[in-house]
Amino acid sequence: GGLLYGAINLGGDVLRQSTELQQQLALIRTQFEQTGEAAAGISFDQYRRELAKTSVDTGVAADEVANVQRQLAGAFSDPETGALNFQRASDEGKVALRYSKVSNLPLQEITDSYTAVSLAFRDDAGVPLGFEKIADLLTMLENRFGVLGPEILKFTADLAPLGKELGFTAEQLAGLGAVAQKASGKSGQVLAEQLGRILPQMKEKSSELFDLFNQNAATRPEANGLLEAFASGDSAKALEILVRNYKLLDDAQRNTLANLVGGSRQAATFYALLDQSADTLRVLDPNGLPDDSGAFDRRWQSYKETVTANVEQMRRAVEELGQSLFEAGLGDALAGMAAGAK
């Protein structure tokens, strides 16, 4: 009796999720018709098949997968025509869903954070940074510095527009978050708030920083380079010069530097980067970190071997079978089974 009751309950869940999925797919089909398959990058039938595969692969209900991908299709729409890119939404959605399982972060938070980083750090052709690249970067920084990837994601997402404007790459910005978290133990949100004040303040005080360097015989040769880096919009280079020369400043000059970047509270985070100068210089160097290609995929493959992941995948496979039955016209039968169990 218990087994039958469980099966009927599962049938009720399948019916509910199938109904919700059908509602999502109806909206998506309309969007496909308005966008056109060429602009969407994928046919609707192929998209539907990929959605089912993603649901089984990640253990996330198909209606939730569809909801995430609808949001991403808008986020990655063509900037000129506004056409929704469902191919990109399908690819990036899979990464976001996988990361939500590995990190235990809420799916909406991951989707928002990944999208913020992706759209801020476009390449020269205007193409947003891929989610897989972001996941690889976060995983590599976790492995390299012993920090929490989700916190680095929050940090990078909060600072992404500012970081890009100030001349940092996604790798440099996320790397700074990793070094600061390792040294201070603060959350990504707190670090982002403090560095979000320090970095613009450094640029605003570039003349005073030039004078500070010019007053010291040991740092004077770097003074012009520091000013030029700020003037050219390359705050990453300016920060590298500051970190590399910090130990050459005397105590009075170091106190002056702390006041210039915004006072003791902000300076504490700044000093975390200065104290960990070797790591800070490493993440600012474009070639300073190890190759991160495939780092997240290796983490995902390890996760898939867990019992939890296997159970979730089995459940989604059953739901996908139920969805196929529902689409074949057997939804009423499932509804009757669910009602009869009550």
Side-chain angles (χ1 to χ4, degrees):
L3 182 60
L4 176 60
Y5 184 78
I8 292 175
N9 275 343
L10 179 58
D13 289 343
V14 169
L15 174 63
R16 176 185 58 79
Q17 290 168 356
S18 296
T19 302
E20 292 173 356
L21 177 60
Q22 287 302 307
Q23 293 171 345
Q24 291 277 4
L25 289 176
L27 291 172
I28 291 172
R29 184 185 289 277
T30 300
Q31 291 173 323
F32 261 87
E33 291 171 353
Q34 294 174 348
T35 297
E37 289 187 352
I42 188 174
S43 70
F44 178 79
D45 289 342
Q46 180 63 28
Y47 168 78
R48 172 66 185 86
R49 288 192 291 271
E50 290 300 320
L51 188 153
K53 290 179 183 177
T54 297
S55 176
V56 174
D57 172 70
T58 60
V60 177
D63 60 305
E64 293 184 55
V65 175
N67 185 49
V68 168
Q69 293 180 349
R70 275 206 313 123
Q71 295 177 53
L72 292 176
F76 291 104
S77 60
D78 188 291
E80 295 183 3
T81 66
L84 303 179
N85 191 334
F86 278 98
Q87 177 64 71
R88 180 105 196 222
S90 178
D91 294 339
E92 307 295 25
K94 181 185 294 184
V95 178
L97 291 159
R98 286 178 171 182
Y99 197 83
S100 73
K101 289 296 183 180
V102 171
S103 67
N104 289 321
L105 274 182
L107 183 54
Q108 188 63 56
E109 182 176 336
I110 287 177
T111 303
D112 292 346
S113 295
Y114 266 72
T115 302
V117 176
S118 176
L119 296 181
F121 291 100
R122 298 172 183 267
D123 63 17
D124 293 338
V127 178
L129 185 66
F131 280 19
E132 187 170 3
K133 173 61 179 174
I134 299 170
D136 282 343
L137 174 61
L138 295 172
T139 305
M140 180 272 291
L141 291 172
E142 270 192 326
N143 296 338
R144 175 66 179 75
F145 294 105
V147 293
L148 300 175
E151 293 300 327
I152 305 307
L153 175 60
K154 295 175 188 176
F155 169 88
T156 309
D158 285 351
L159 285 184
L162 175 64
K164 176 67 173 180
E165 180 184 342
L166 293 175
F168 290 90
T169 64
E171 291 83 359
Q172 289 172 327
L173 188 62
L176 290 177
V179 174
Q181 189 191 19
K182 174 187 174 183
S184 69
K186 296 178 180 178
S187 71
Q189 185 176 7
V190 170
L191 292 172
E193 178 188 350
Q194 294 182 357
L195 280 179
R197 295 174 182 172
I198 291 171
L199 297 176
Q201 184 78 354
M202 284 171 44
K203 187 174 183 179
E204 290 176 11
K205 300 292 184 179
S206 57
S207 295
E208 288 90 335
L209 290 170
F210 169 80
D211 292 338
L212 181 68
F213 267 50
N214 213 26
Q215 293 166 8
N216 186 310
T219 58
R220 190 173 299 129
E222 298 274 18
N224 285 332
L226 179 66
L227 194 61
E228 290 170 2
F230 281 123
S232 66
D234 191 354
S235 291
K237 178 63 177 177
L239 179 59
E240 181 263 318
I241 294 173
L242 280 171
V243 173
R244 184 159 41 80
N245 289 276
Y246 173 70
K247 292 181 179 179
L248 300 177
L249 300 175
D250 61 34
D251 289 342
Q253 290 169 326
R254 292 182 183 184
N255 290 333
T256 300
L257 177 60
N259 290 328
L260 288 175
V261 299
S264 59
R265 187 166 181 264
Q266 275 75 250
T269 298
F270 186 56
Y271 280 130
L273 298 176
L274 296 173
D275 291 340
Q276 301 292 321
S277 59
D279 282 339
T280 302
L281 292 174
R282 189 171 290 113
V283 301
L284 290 173
D285 180 353
N287 300 310
L289 291 172
D291 180 20
D292 57 17
S293 300
F296 179 67
D297 185 63
R298 291 189 290 273
R299 174 75 60 83
W300 174 249
Q301 295 306 322
S302 295
Y303 170 81
K304 286 181 69 175
E305 295 175 1
T306 66
V307 173
T308 299
N310 288 331
V311 170
E312 288 176 339
Q313 287 179 322
M314 288 176 61
R315 180 178 178 83
R316 300 313 167 197
V318 170
E319 288 173 355
E320 177 58 24
L321 174 60
Q323 172 64 25
S324 298
L325 294 175
F326 184 90
E327 292 175 349
L330 300 182
D332 291 340
L334 283 173
M337 290 171 62
K342 296 179 180 179

